[in-house]
Amino acid sequence: MKFDSIVLAMAMFAFSSFASAQAYPAKPVTMIVPFAAGGPTDTVARTIGAVMSKTLGQTVIVENVGGAGGTIGVGRVVAAPNDGYTILLMHIGISTAPALYRTLKYDVNKDLEPIGLVTEVPMTLIAKLAFPPKDLKELITFLKANKDKVSYANSGVGSASHLCGMLFMSAIQTDVLTVPYKGTAPTMTDLLGGQVDFMCDQTTNTTSQIKGSKVKAYGVTSMTRVASLPDLPTLNEAGLQGFSVGVWHGVWTPKGTPKAVNDKLVKALQDALKDDGVKARFAELGTAPEPLNRQTPEALRAHLAAEIANWGPIIKKVGVYAD
Ligand code: ASP
């Protein structure tokens, strides 16, 4: 090919990607959630996705790609075409996986483009109704005495329920059997059925079960009580001083997604997070949208880097790894 034809081909390619970024979205957008349908991350995704659809003028379809603590779903987005039609909603686990996995196939800082932070959700330490301990103090004593007989359910290494359980076990210096699932929706089903004993999960999945007295609740992982569960103490006040985990969520696109496309997604996210219906639903579930200045690519980029730096040494100290 001659030089001028190469230049022409390059210009046409640049123009067609510019034109398709301008026309974006021309078809439904798939939002990948790296956990099972019906769980807490899925709930956040579906709540904002429905409103993002209005700004985008196209449906946001949630697809659940669970497994390996969320790393399979994140990997799916990293490998997807960078055209804005596959986006990711993931949580704090994206910042713990780099320290937990020896062989992670992607670099979360480099292989994804941040869109913005969504919401930070507290977790709750809960158990099946028939579990004997009545409060946190009794729970700790019970676990120490029965560590070979009890089971802790989570969503696999790298999930928020894994992180919370790992920090809790490390704080009370006890280890119990852990049972991994593809998300805490199926975990909750088994907890209600009594097949597993206890777990730690976001209020976006546990609020109605706690309010309906379907599970035992020992505390929330935020430093202040949650307005929708006013009688539940914080783990900090119940005796685990300084215990604090907040499950922050963000939206990302694959690396190289055109800026014009990312800008439209930022606007759609910000519109969703100021929507009264979204705010009301989040409040019912014990959370709230992030402030506007955090609903931005810059804030998510900085937060992710800070969280990776924060969790790395903590995880190293606990000494948990996966392949
Ligand atoms: N709560 C889960 C976790 O442990 C995720 C989910 O099922 O949404 O990360």
Side-chain angles (χ1 to χ4, degrees), residues 98-111:
L100 288 166
Y101 282 83
R102 288 196 191 91
T103 53
L104 205 57
K105 288 185 189 67
Y106 49 81
D107 179 333
V108 295
N109 283 313
K110 293 194 190 135
D111 296 338

Side-chain angles (χ1 to χ4, degrees), residues 35-36 39-42 91 123 155 159-162 182-185 201-202:
F35 299 102
T41 316
D42 182 68
H91 63 35
M123 301 191 89
S155 305
S159 63
S161 44
H162 169 262
K182 285 190 173 171
T184 43
D201 198 19
Q202 288 103 296

Side-chain angles (χ1 to χ4, degrees), residues 36-66:
T41 316
D42 182 68
T43 297
V44 170
R46 286 175 202 270
T47 304
I48 62 163
V51 186
M52 286 176 76
S53 300
K54 289 189 206 156
T55 301
L56 293 171
Q58 288 286 348
T59 311
V60 173
I61 301 164
V62 172
E63 189 184 332
N64 302 89
V65 182

Side-chain angles (χ1 to χ4, degrees), residues 230-245:
D231 300 329
L232 190 63
T234 66
L235 291 175
N236 178 57
E237 72 187 89
L240 274 183
Q241 267 192 12
F243 194 95
S244 162
V245 189

Side-chain angles (χ1 to χ4, degrees), residues 132-170:
K134 285 192 292 298
D135 56 24
L136 182 69
K137 219 171 141 241
E138 281 189 24
L139 176 69
I140 296 170
T141 313
F142 186 84
L143 293 178
K144 283 181 184 284
N146 295 280
K147 58 174 177 244
D148 300 328
K149 299 188 200 97
V150 297
S151 54
Y152 176 83
N154 68 21
S155 305
V157 177
S159 63
S161 44
H162 169 262
L163 176 69
C164 181
M166 180 183 83
L167 297 173
F168 177 63
M169 304 304 175
S170 155

